[in-house]
Amino acid sequence: MKLILLGPPGAGKGTQCKRITEKYGLAHLSSGDILRAERAAGTELGRKAQSYMDSGGLVPDDLIIDMMIGAIKKAGAKGYVLDGFPRTVVQAEGLDAALKKAGERIDAIVSLEVPDEAILDRMTGRRSCPKCGAVYHIVNLKPKVDGQCDKGCGPLMQRKDDSPEVVSNRLKTYHEQTAAVLGYYQRNRSRIIQINADQPIDEVSQAIFTALGRLGR
Ligand code: AP5
């Protein structure tokens, strides 16, 4: 199965992708996680991406398209969920062209819908594990021991781009450049699953699994 998860920053894409990939045995291909790993490794791509990520803007399309098409090829036949990509219509067109060349297609687009008002609390309360990528929240999804990853990896961290100023810039970028990606898939008559993501995490997961079940998954 090949899925795309769309939604604004803090919609719960990473949280839900982890659950979907565990249930269906898919690869989780997160453009944000791959960029953060490139930065941590000090690669040229990571250095180029840094200033865009720190300000809440978008990394240039050509860099992202090459990076994500590479990740899709590595995922091989087991299927995947794309998280954070495509984020512009140019990226969606680049993905379509690569899939067409490989004779493949996306099975469904899952669109997580959350109003802007719900986002700020989610982002400023987010804590992540730098080792395994697990995502927590200081109120909505607490770790068992304060500040520590449940999987024994060690201390959790707060993302630099989760400050209120950068979050508001990321939301602006989302409305200006990313919201149009859904319209692109609507015009192309892709299968779109719209999910109310302004409800508790388990209920969002259940809504996604029910919708995927209706597709025979
Ligand atoms: P990226 O890492 O992709 O960030 P994002 O899309 O802004 O999404 P987030 O990871 O912040 O949020 P999420 O939807 O995954 O929410 P989460 O599950 O963590 O990108 C970072 C940067 O990289 C970009 O700004 C850009 O610069 C660059 N970049 C990445 N991809 C790019 C691309 N394709 N093109 C160009 N540039 C690119 O949840 C958030 C919090 O809320 C957590 O604490 C969670 O516990 C909590 N939560 C989740 N669901 C719920 C719920 N239902 N109720 C209550 N709390 C919830």
Side-chain angles (χ1 to χ4, degrees), residues 66-93:
D66 286 351
M67 178 184 93
M68 292 307 289
I69 301 302
I72 287 171
K73 283 187 185 150
K74 268 197 213 146
K78 74 173 178 175
Y80 49 79
V81 188
L82 297 176
D83 165 6
F85 173 82
R87 233 177 175 98
T88 63
V89 171
V90 171
Q91 291 180 19
E93 288 168 347

Side-chain angles (χ1 to χ4, degrees), residues 1-3 20-22 24-28 78-81:
M1 178 162 58
K2 299 181 180 73
L3 300 173
I20 298 169
T21 52
E22 273 166 24
Y24 294 101
L26 306 172
H28 177 187
K78 74 173 178 175
Y80 49 79
V81 188

Side-chain angles (χ1 to χ4, degrees), residues 10 13-15 31 36 57 84 87 91 126 136 140 170 199:
K13 300 184 295 297
T15 303
S31 50
R36 281 183 286 278
R87 233 177 175 98
Q91 291 180 19
R126 171 167 52 191
Y136 303 86
N140 307 330
R170 286 163 65 193
Q199 51 178 340

